[in-house]
Amino acid sequence: MEESIQPTALQWDGRDARALLALERLDRDLFRNRLNHRNANDALFGGQVLAQALMAAIATVGEGSGAGGARSVHSLHGYFLRAGRAHAPAIYQVDRTRDGGRFSTRRVTAVQEGEPIFHMECSFHAEERGYDHQAQLPPGIPRPDDLLTLPELADTMAAELPDWIRVRWRGQLGTIEVKPANPRSFLQQPEGPANRAIWMRLPSGAGAGPAEQAALLAYLSDYWLAGTAALPHTLPMPSPSLFMASLDHAMWFLRPARADEWLLFACESPSAQAGRGLSRALIYAEDGTLVASTAQEALLRIRDA
């Protein structure tokens, strides 16, 4: 009997963020990804799984979801169950939990080689009239035009950076543009709370519609968040003495956002304990509009010397 041949996922080259979101529809509520983003642990990057799972859910909203107008995602809550395999495609199974008058709920399970690696609940809302207020942009943070990107910092701070960090920062060119508000925070212990602020954008997301922009924002939200919890404990950050892996991830989409434009991630970590660290972030557009909030608990495992 012939053995079945498992398909192999192509590795994303980092050039076109929208291509990373592309899914093949296998059945009414069943999808398969086309590209994989490998992380530093040689596994699937969690932000990829978040974004692709959200795109699978989005594809099922609006198909018989009732009256009440167009619905956009307003929240997601996900758990990373196993490390994703970077060589294998992921299958996304969507359960249409509920379609109400103005809300739709979906559950998405990501599966690789017969095992669930991630599951997520997400909710969609048809916009309606209501109250409006927001937290203000934190004071004293430089604008992105006044800051350097990671590749530029790799050159200007070359004498202070370990070789492997310098190589990693230079490799950011053309993928995600990152501008730390305080580059010294990667090398110095914080004097107060574990906080940091980072501007980020995905230039290749230009031209994406609102649904894709939400998925790209979910992708970005997993990029620098977890390490905030390690800042008081290990330097430089990232550190070869620390293994980090996302455990869960929550996100609230508050107002429309564009991932191809500068977004400020104002991150804080209120606690680290028992090998886990909790990090949170408010996400602002450059004009000060609060567009999203996110929270994540991550495994912070100290590597043996």
Side-chain angles (χ1 to χ4, degrees), residues 110-127:
V111 177
Q112 279 188 318
E113 299 176 355
E115 293 183 325
I117 63 169
F118 173 80
H119 64 67
M120 177 179 76
E121 296 279 350
C122 51
S123 182
F124 298 79
H125 182 213
E127 186 175 349

Side-chain angles (χ1 to χ4, degrees), residues 137-154:
L137 189 75
I141 294 178
R143 313 306 294 179
D145 287 347
D146 300 324
L147 297 168
L148 299 179
T149 63
L150 289 184
E152 292 168 336
L153 289 171

Side-chain angles (χ1 to χ4, degrees), residues 18-21 24 56-57 65-66 78-79 91 126 131 134 141 145 151 174 215 223 237 283 285 302 305:
R18 297 176 67 184
L20 189 66
L21 303 180
E24 176 187 1
S65 56
Y79 281 89
I91 301 293
Y131 300 118
Q134 69 157 76
I141 294 178
D145 287 347
Y223 199 62
M237 190 62 224
I283 305 172
I302 301 171

Side-chain angles (χ1 to χ4, degrees), residues 234-288:
T234 180
L235 290 174
M237 190 62 224
S239 170
S241 65
L242 179 66
F243 174 83
M244 290 194 302
S246 302
L247 297 173
D248 58 22
H249 198 107
M251 194 165 185
W252 295 265
F253 300 83
L254 307 176
R255 296 172 179 86
R258 296 199 59 84
D260 59 307
E261 298 178 353
W262 287 115
L263 296 169
L264 177 71
F265 288 70
C267 308
E268 64 168 359
S269 174
S271 181
Q273 70 296 311
R276 306 186 312 276
L278 175 64
S279 300
R280 305 181 298 205
L282 295 178
I283 305 172
Y284 293 87
E286 191 173 0
D287 65 2

Side-chain angles (χ1 to χ4, degrees), residues 13-276:
D13 62 11
R15 296 178 182 175
D16 183 0
R18 297 176 67 184
L20 189 66
L21 303 180
L23 300 175
E24 176 187 1
R25 196 165 202 157
L26 303 177
D27 206 336
R28 180 173 181 260
D29 297 327
L30 196 65
F31 304 83
R32 180 168 58 200
N33 73 323
R34 301 178 185 274
L35 298 174
N36 278 348
H37 178 185
R38 188 189 306 267
N39 69 11
N41 298 324
D42 201 31
L44 287 186
F45 174 53
Q48 168 203 324
V49 182
L50 275 174
Q52 292 178 349
L54 180 55
M55 288 301 294
I58 288 170
T60 71
V61 175
E63 301 175 357
S65 56
R71 299 169 190 214
S72 56
V73 63
H74 73 87
S75 68
L76 62 81
H77 301 261
Y79 281 89
F80 296 94
L81 308 176
R82 294 178 176 87
R85 300 167 181 86
H87 69 278
I91 301 293
Y92 295 94
Q93 170 69 55
V94 182
D95 294 324
R96 305 185 185 219
T97 310
R98 178 179 183 269
D99 287 310
R102 300 195 74 86
F103 286 89
S104 291
T105 306
R106 298 292 185 264
R107 179 180 177 86
V108 185
T109 303
V111 177
Q112 279 188 318
E113 299 176 355
E115 293 183 325
I117 63 169
F118 173 80
H119 64 67
M120 177 179 76
E121 296 279 350
C122 51
S123 182
F124 298 79
H125 182 213
E127 186 175 349
E128 52 190 291
R129 186 171 59 90
Y131 300 118
D132 193 306
H133 75 272
Q134 69 157 76
Q136 297 303 302
L137 189 75
I141 294 178
R143 313 306 294 179
D145 287 347
D146 300 324
L147 297 168
L148 299 179
T149 63
L150 289 184
E152 292 168 336
L153 289 171
D155 292 331
T156 60
M157 299 173 63
E160 302 172 81
L161 296 174
D163 290 343
W164 66 276
I165 288 184
R166 193 161 57 247
V167 170
R168 179 181 292 188
W169 285 10
R170 283 175 176 158
Q172 294 296 318
L173 189 64
T175 308
I176 302 173
E177 292 189 3
V178 180
K179 291 188 174 185
N182 177 17
R184 308 299 308 175
S185 66
F186 290 90
L187 301 172
Q188 298 174 343
Q189 300 283 159
E191 297 180 358
N195 295 341
R196 66 177 171 187
I198 299 176
W199 292 96
M200 288 192 286
R201 68 179 177 183
L202 272 168
S204 62
E212 283 185 307
Q213 291 290 352
L216 292 174
L217 181 55
Y219 170 82
L220 278 178
S221 72
D222 190 43
Y223 199 62
W224 284 97
L225 183 59
T228 308
L231 287 177
H233 308 288
T234 180
L235 290 174
M237 190 62 224
S239 170
S241 65
L242 179 66
F243 174 83
M244 290 194 302
S246 302
L247 297 173
D248 58 22
H249 198 107
M251 194 165 185
W252 295 265
F253 300 83
L254 307 176
R255 296 172 179 86
R258 296 199 59 84
D260 59 307
E261 298 178 353
W262 287 115
L263 296 169
L264 177 71
F265 288 70
C267 308
E268 64 168 359
S269 174
S271 181
Q273 70 296 311
R276 306 186 312 276

